[in-house]
Amino acid sequence: MSVTLAYPAMGPILEFMEANKRIHLASRCPALHAIDKSTPLRLDFLDFRKNCIQINLMLYHLSHCEERYVESQSQIEDKSSRETLAPGDIQIDGNAFPKFRQFVEFRIGNGLGRESVRRLPANLEIHVALKKLSSFLLGGRATSIEVAEELVFFLNRGDILRLPENLQIWVKALKTMHTNFMDILPILDPSSFPLETLILKKASVHNLQSPVFRTARNVEILGDGVSNLDQEEWHMEFQKLPNKNIFMEYDYYGGDRIVHLVRYWMENGKEIGTCWNFVRRPWEDLVRELDLIKAEIGGTYRRAAIGYALILPFNDDSELVVHAVKIPKLPQKAIQLVIQPKVERSSFTDKIIDPFYANWRLYTLSTVLTLLFGSFFLTVVMGPYAILCVTPPIFMITIFMRSLMPTRG
């Protein structure tokens, strides 16, 4: 005898069911409707685009389409009267009566080539259909919708986000491309703050002043930066940010800007564990940028676990490490600023290794010249047999010097 579950017991099962399967199941079984709406909806990924909603891997998309008129006999007869010019009528630029009619097409796809297409009623406008769609997928929930990975808004200025009433979304990572993140704060559950990650295309001065921005644990700023009108004000606000982790993709913040940022930190302090990254183009010389910081502020080049690093004393307990890093999964490299606890170094390191890193170019040139002249002298004195005596020492010294040379960014 088979055992069936009572409908109330379906709540925990629905809660951890894949979201799209759950929505489909609840739509086919009216008895589950109330249980579905009262049970928390858990998503991995939620993306809003123009006339489109993506839940996990499933895409729900509305679009305008056209088809050529297939006219009935009555329409053909009526067409003659519609196209006949009465006295006083003027037809502009020839016959332009519509040969196509528009309708709204609804597509559901999983990104793997499987897609279902449905034509909506002719009198249903696309914005009305979008409102009905979002209400069907996300509306009427008694609790906040939980998005485990990322909530994305990819909308342009002027686009209208059609959402159900009283929608609340709990999220850890918020990504707003071409969208002001402050516009969508009303639909975010207050318990989402502080955000784990905030990703945005541009950050205005007003954004930098927002508590949501300033309290996010990780901030990524993508795109082309700020307008020329507010660069100085933007720079002043940016260097005051308390965020511990910032990733900036565009090249606006480089050179002198980094020098000003470092000076501000040294004058006003910064928390240990702060890590800010500024992406550079693949062909840019990051060592030259480090040299600029050293020339303007000072510091010492030292060999560290991360390679070639500029160390600047920060205070009695911490120091600032500036170095080049490779960005995971991207071709670019970045200048990274890290505040770390001060590292006590041995007298050998202070007296031998650190001066070498501070003047490594001079030492390297001196070593190469010494090897060349020494080899030439021995060859003159000993003849051809000098090659056998000179080659192994030169090879070993070269390997040793290469191991000491800083890694260029």
Side-chain angles (χ1 to χ4, degrees):
M1 179 179 179
S2 61
V3 178
T4 58
L5 290 173
Y7 282 117
M10 291 292 293
I13 297 176
L14 289 176
E15 181 175 356
F16 296 98
M17 182 181 293
E18 198 280 326
N20 295 285
K21 294 180 179 178
R22 167 178 166 175
I23 293 170
H24 178 75
L25 177 63
S27 68
R28 293 299 185 93
C29 184
L32 290 177
H33 182 77
I35 300 173
D36 171 57
K37 296 300 183 182
S38 61
T39 302
L41 179 62
R42 300 179 184 271
L43 314 179
D44 295 326
F45 179 83
L46 180 59
D47 185 357
F48 292 96
R49 298 172 184 253
K50 186 174 183 180
N51 300 329
C52 179
I53 300 173
Q54 182 177 347
I55 297 177
N56 297 344
L57 298 178
M58 195 68 70
L59 197 69
Y60 303 86
H61 184 231
L62 295 167
S63 61
H64 281 119
C65 295
E66 292 182 332
E67 70 174 3
R68 184 177 293 274
Y69 274 118
V70 179
E71 298 172 322
S72 63
Q73 184 61 38
S74 60
Q75 289 174 321
I76 294 174
E77 294 173 356
D78 178 62
K79 179 180 177 181
S80 60
S81 63
R82 287 189 291 112
E83 297 183 0
T84 300
L85 299 181
D89 295 343
I90 299 175
Q91 188 174 49
I92 305 300
D93 199 20
N95 190 332
F97 287 102
K99 298 295 189 297
F100 295 86
R101 60 180 175 184
Q102 284 194 338
F103 62 92
V104 176
E105 189 175 71
F106 178 41
R107 294 177 176 270
I108 303 177
N110 61 2
L112 300 176
R114 300 181 61 183
E115 187 177 60
S116 62
V117 183
R118 177 185 173 189
R119 183 187 301 180
L120 300 185
N123 60 346
L124 184 61
E125 296 188 42
I126 195 167
H127 70 276
V128 177
L130 185 61
K131 184 76 170 183
K132 291 178 177 291
L133 174 63
S134 66
S135 299
F136 170 74
L137 296 173
L138 306 172
R141 306 269 169 196
T143 59
S144 297
I145 296 173
E146 298 183 18
V147 181
E149 295 179 7
E150 196 172 68
L151 172 63
V152 179
F153 292 87
F154 206 116
L155 300 166
N156 294 310
R157 185 176 181 180
D159 289 342
I160 298 178
L161 189 57
R162 309 286 180 178
L163 298 174
E165 292 185 62
N166 304 317
L167 176 65
Q168 288 285 283
I169 302 175
W170 182 92
V171 64
K172 292 195 299 184
L174 173 64
K175 183 175 183 178
T176 58
M177 305 299 287
H178 308 294
T179 308
N180 186 351
F181 74 89
M182 300 179 69
D183 292 338
I184 52 89
L185 294 182
I187 67 171
L188 298 185
D189 190 310
S191 64
S192 301
F193 306 111
L195 292 172
E196 182 71 27
T197 302
L198 175 63
I199 305 172
L200 58 164
K201 182 76 172 178
K202 288 186 179 180
S204 66
V205 173
H206 188 52
N207 294 147
L208 300 183
Q209 296 169 341
S210 167
V212 174
F213 189 106
R214 299 172 70 87
T215 59
R217 296 184 180 92
N218 303 284
V219 174
E220 296 183 25
I221 305 176
L222 313 177
D224 54 1
V226 297
S227 65
N228 294 326
L229 299 178
D230 58 357
Q231 281 191 0
E232 291 305 319
E233 183 182 2
W234 193 96
H235 170 62
M236 295 301 295
E237 287 295 330
F238 179 76
Q239 66 185 10
K240 298 176 185 177
L241 290 174
N243 306 76
K244 294 189 68 172
N245 297 289
I246 290 182
F247 176 92
M248 186 175 293
E249 185 181 58
Y250 55 82
D251 297 325
Y252 158 72
Y253 217 91
D256 292 335
R257 298 291 186 187
I258 297 288
V259 172
H260 294 160
L261 177 64
V262 171
R263 281 182 174 154
Y264 182 87
W265 283 8
M266 298 185 75
E267 292 172 0
N268 296 274
K270 199 65 179 175
E271 186 180 357
I272 290 177
T274 298
C275 180
W276 288 20
N277 292 275
F278 302 90
V279 172
R280 299 291 180 260
R281 297 183 181 93
W283 58 85
E284 290 186 288
D285 187 356
L286 276 63
V287 172
R288 182 177 299 175
E289 195 163 350
L290 295 185
D291 288 342
L292 173 63
I293 299 172
K294 186 178 186 301
E296 294 288 336
I297 302 177
T300 305
Y301 285 128
R302 288 175 178 162
R303 183 178 177 82
I306 41 75
Y308 186 44
L310 177 62
I311 311 294
L312 296 97
F314 209 64
N315 54 39
D316 294 338
D317 302 317
S318 62
E319 59 188 13
L320 172 62
V321 180
V322 186
H323 63 109
V325 296
K326 177 69 173 65
I327 304 300
K329 300 180 181 179
L330 293 176
Q332 294 97 329
K333 293 182 180 180
I335 290 290
Q336 185 177 86
L337 280 62
V338 180
I339 305 296
Q340 68 178 25
K342 181 172 288 186
V343 177
E344 296 297 332
R345 294 173 173 84
S346 66
S347 59
F348 174 79
T349 301
D350 294 334
K351 294 179 180 179
I352 305 298
I353 301 299
D354 289 348
F356 172 80
Y357 274 89
N359 304 279
W360 68 273
R361 291 182 177 87
L362 177 61
Y363 290 142
T364 302
L365 178 61
S366 301
T367 302
V368 171
L369 292 176
T370 300
L371 290 174
L372 289 175
F373 283 109
S375 301
F376 176 76
F377 177 76
L378 289 175
T379 301
V380 171
V381 173
M382 300 178 63
Y385 295 103
I387 298 176
L388 298 176
C389 300
V390 172
T391 301
I394 292 178
F395 179 76
M396 294 178 64
I397 293 173
T398 303
I399 295 298
F400 176 71
M401 291 296 298
R402 181 63 186 89
S403 68
L404 291 180
M405 286 177 61
T407 303
R408 294 178 66 87

